[in-house]
Amino acid sequence: MPASTYRERVELARPNRLQTVGLLLGAVVFVVPLVVDIPDLAPVGQRMLAIFLLAIVLWVTEAIPLVATAVLVILLEVLMVSDQALVAVAGDTLAADAYFAALADPVIMLFLGGFLIADGANKFALDRNLAGVMLRPFAGRARRTVLGLMAITAVLSMFVSNTATTATMFAVVLPILAALPAGPARTGLALAIPVAANVGGIGTPVGSPPNAIALGALEAQGEGVSFLGWMLLAVPLMLVVLLASWWLLTRRYIAADTPMQLELSAEFDRSPAAIVFYVVAGGTVLLWLTEPLHGISSSTVGFVPVVALLATGVMGGEDLKTLQWPVLWLVAGGIALGAGIGATGMDAWLIGLFAWDRLPLSLLLVMLVVVGLGLSTVISNSATANLLVPLALTLAVGLPIDVTAVGVMIALSCALAMALPISTPPNAVAYATGEVDTRAMASTGLAIGGFGAVLVAFVLPWLWDVLGLL
Amino acid sequence: MRLSVLILEDERPVREALARDLAGFADVVRVEVAEDVPDAWQVVEELDVDGDRLALVLADHRLPGTSGVEFLVQLLDDPRTARARKVLVTGQADQQDTIRAVNEAGLDHYIAKPWDVDELTEVVRDQLTEHVTEHRLDPLPHLRVLDAARVMPLLRERGDR
């Protein structure tokens, strides 16, 4: 075939109205703290406040890509509030290295391992085959099949990104979807996958980026949570919300007598490379779950599969290149932001801004959960966590509540936002299939998110306390 | 940016029949018709101005003054059209024409007239899917007219946000 020599034109996207507003407003909020004297905030803190306000505006409006804002935060911190600041500033400054170090924070190492295992699972079709095996006990009735699909989606999503899980499971579900008569059953099934993927993401530290952001920030405060520790905190919520979602979706959309046939073949790859991968992946998960026994931190364990898979040639440079670096860097931006707030005295200023301890503690927690849920419904979950986690942890230090509880609660509330197609990529995929309209997604998403938020705000802190987890 | 399908066919009833058979794509994909080659280039111009993307050309072979195969070869020399998938819909192309279409225009598919509606829509769906995966376009805006299972790997790589 005659090859065309034309390369793809790189088109610069023209900013839409919201983005234009974001750019202008970003410039304003950035400059104001630099020129206006803010009481009780040292000059270095004022600079940090400028960076933080700019990050809020850019992450909310997406005037520039999310990952671009993340690296901008790091660059501005180095240029303005580090020991290498262009214009030297009085007050405490971190070394520039400390801000760059966010890109290789231990939690990034943890995610690197998680991502590589997830990509390998796809490369060797382990995800699809596991889905086939796990679905067998659920075959038969429609509602049971949906329960099976949601359970498998959630389990995969605990270790694989929510988006990749959705893509894998939709590939499985599309033939069943096409065989169903047009109508509510299709809507229910097409909603079941993204809902389960979103909810499953809260189950482990590597399940979705907000978990990493919370973990990284907690670790920086000396309140590290182990892999198993996170699961004990989050899995009860995951199971309850998942079951409730299944109940809601099936009662609402899927009649008990809906014909639904699904047979998945499971042919496990038995090549030597695949077997090495199974051993490495299985060993990594085992080490993650047994941290209390051996004491090796989960981020160190996360780096083991990176080394093992590259050394054995099971995965190579190509696999490294296709890792989701923008996600890793987005998380790093949040970690750097938290580090800057802590190092410049902006945290003390925030605490002093308002008599936070006069507010009832429960009201404060409800506010945090509501803001997390609301903001991540319309903007990126990771960006929400990047902005809220440092603020919330700062406030929590002075309050009679466990800091860990606050960090985890924020991450969980971000994950529960699923009312709109733009809320999460899994929602966007379901919407794009044309089987789900905005109204169905909004009513389901609000019900599930609202139910989950009530549990996070009122039941979880009590449960964690009773179980002695914190 | 919308994907576009261009139908090049000089006989009006045939042109209309093709457009009608592709009506199911029309709410997602921009379906354009042209009666001759200058008209077709005019459509290319309009698509470019609107920021839409020519993804697929369905061309008849025998056209007044020129041939559909000739047009398909020309497409390769224009950056706006070089990546479009190319399908001949014809009953009159002889072996020489067909060989030239395959070797010089990079023909992607051949549909013999009279066409079968299901076959036509399947070919269009398949070619649009190929175009999206080959050029790694964002499949979501077009997902309803694509072979969804085949574009899922593109979505995998996106990551959470």
Side-chain angles (χ1 to χ4, degrees), chain B:
Chain B
M1 191 271 288
R2 274 191 300 168
L3 296 181
S4 174
V5 177
L6 169 61
I7 297 167
L8 173 57
E9 165 67 62
D10 60 331
E11 289 177 59
R12 176 199 270 258
V14 182
R15 194 164 65 231
E16 285 173 353
L18 278 169
R20 195 172 54 238
D21 289 346
L22 295 184
F25 290 84
D27 59 336
V28 178
V29 169
R30 179 167 166 176
V31 179
E32 289 284 346
V33 292
E35 58 179 25
D36 55 27
V37 170
D39 195 15
W41 283 110
Q42 180 67 38
V43 170
V44 169
E45 187 62 43
E46 285 164 14
L47 292 177
D48 195 48
V49 169
D50 296 346
D52 290 334
R53 180 180 176 112
L54 184 64
L56 171 62
V57 177
L58 300 173
D60 183 21
H61 176 52
R62 190 169 293 171
L63 297 166
T66 180
S67 74
V69 172
E70 189 55 45
F71 175 68
L72 294 183
V73 175
Q74 284 173 19
L75 290 180
L76 288 177
D77 288 326
D78 190 312
R80 297 170 300 179
T81 55
R83 288 174 216 88
R85 308 290 296 184
K86 302 168 196 74
V87 173
L88 270 182
V89 186
T90 185
Q92 307 122 322
D94 64 20
Q95 199 183 15
Q96 274 317 105
D97 299 326
T98 313
I99 289 172
R100 176 147 191 257
V102 171
N103 289 349
E104 287 175 40
L107 188 72
D108 294 297
H109 202 90
Y110 187 110
I111 297 176
K113 282 180 187 166
W115 66 88
D116 173 71
V117 181
D118 291 339
E119 186 203 342
L120 177 76
T121 51
E122 253 336 284
V123 168
V124 170
R125 181 182 299 277
D126 177 56
Q127 294 298 331
L128 289 174
T129 306
E130 275 300 308
H131 184 78
V132 165
T133 49
E134 185 184 351
H135 299 291
R136 311 184 60 77
L137 304 181
D138 176 6
L140 287 188
H142 328 289
L143 194 64
R144 278 184 292 144
V145 297
L146 301 177
D147 182 347
R150 260 161 62 201
V151 299
M152 285 300 156
L154 286 179
L155 297 170
R156 269 194 70 82
E157 296 163 12
R158 290 190 163 189
D160 294 345
R161 38 166 282 150

Side-chain angles (χ1 to χ4, degrees), chain A residues 31 35 62 87 104 119 156 165 168 201 207-208 234 247 254 264 286 350 360-361 363 377 379 408 428 458:
Chain A
V31 171
V35 295
E62 279 194 55
V87 180
D119 284 359
L156 281 182
T165 304
T168 302
S208 74
W247 184 84
I254 298 171
L264 279 183
L286 198 67
L350 274 171
L361 184 61
L363 181 67
T377 301
I379 75 166
V408 177
F458 298 109

Side-chain angles (χ1 to χ4, degrees), chain A residues 12-287:
Chain A
L12 288 181
R14 208 171 291 165
N16 60 31
R17 190 173 295 172
L18 178 65
Q19 289 171 320
T20 314
V21 170
L23 289 172
L24 294 174
L25 187 64
V28 172
V29 299
F30 181 72
V31 171
V32 167
L34 298 179
V35 295
V36 176
D37 188 49
I38 295 165
D40 302 328
L41 189 58
V44 66
Q46 298 194 4
R47 292 186 181 188
M48 191 60 222
L49 181 62
I51 297 174
F52 185 67
L53 293 177
L54 177 65
I56 294 180
V57 171
L58 292 183
W59 268 327
V60 168
T61 60
E62 279 194 55
I64 61 175
L66 296 169
V67 62
T69 303
V71 288
L72 177 67
V73 163
I74 296 176
L75 179 65
L76 289 177
E77 286 179 335
V78 169
L79 292 180
M80 294 170 66
V81 297
S82 80
D83 62 343
Q84 290 183 24
L86 290 180
V87 180
V89 63
D92 299 331
T93 52
L94 284 182
D97 305 8
Y99 292 114
F100 284 129
L103 293 166
D105 189 89
V107 86
I108 302 284
M109 296 302 136
L110 170 68
F111 254 53
L112 205 56
F115 280 5
L116 210 57
I117 289 178
D119 284 359
N122 184 251
K123 184 171 171 171
F124 295 103
L126 182 62
D127 46 5
R128 237 193 108 91
N129 286 326
L130 283 179
V133 171
M134 288 192 287
L135 198 56
R136 274 180 203 152
F138 295 96
R141 291 155 184 249
R143 287 176 172 177
R144 255 174 61 180
T145 305
V146 173
L147 180 63
L149 284 169
M150 290 181 76
I152 293 156
T153 308
V155 169
L156 281 182
S157 175
M158 288 166 73
F159 296 94
V160 178
S161 83
N162 301 354
T163 311
T165 304
T166 305
T168 302
M169 292 308 292
F170 258 112
V172 168
V173 162
L174 281 166
I176 330 175
L177 213 49
L180 285 175
R186 283 194 185 186
T187 308
L189 186 56
L191 273 171
I193 301 297
V195 165
N198 292 333
V199 173
I202 68 181
T204 72
V206 295
S208 74
N211 307 0
I213 293 158
L215 267 186
L218 287 170
E219 216 145 282
Q221 300 218 352
E223 300 276 344
V225 180
S226 71
F227 199 95
L228 189 64
W230 180 283
M231 289 185 70
L232 289 173
L233 294 174
V235 168
L237 177 76
M238 182 192 103
L239 290 178
V240 172
V241 175
L242 196 67
L243 274 176
S245 312
W246 168 74
W247 184 84
L248 177 75
L249 285 171
T250 49
R251 300 312 120 156
R252 203 156 166 195
Y253 295 109
I254 298 171
D257 57 354
T258 310
M260 202 180 281
Q261 283 298 325
L262 180 59
E263 299 253 328
L264 279 183
S265 62
E267 287 170 28
F268 286 92
D269 188 341
R270 296 207 163 116
S271 65
I275 289 170
V276 171
F277 174 76
Y278 301 152
V279 171
V280 171
T284 306
V285 173
L286 198 67
L287 283 175

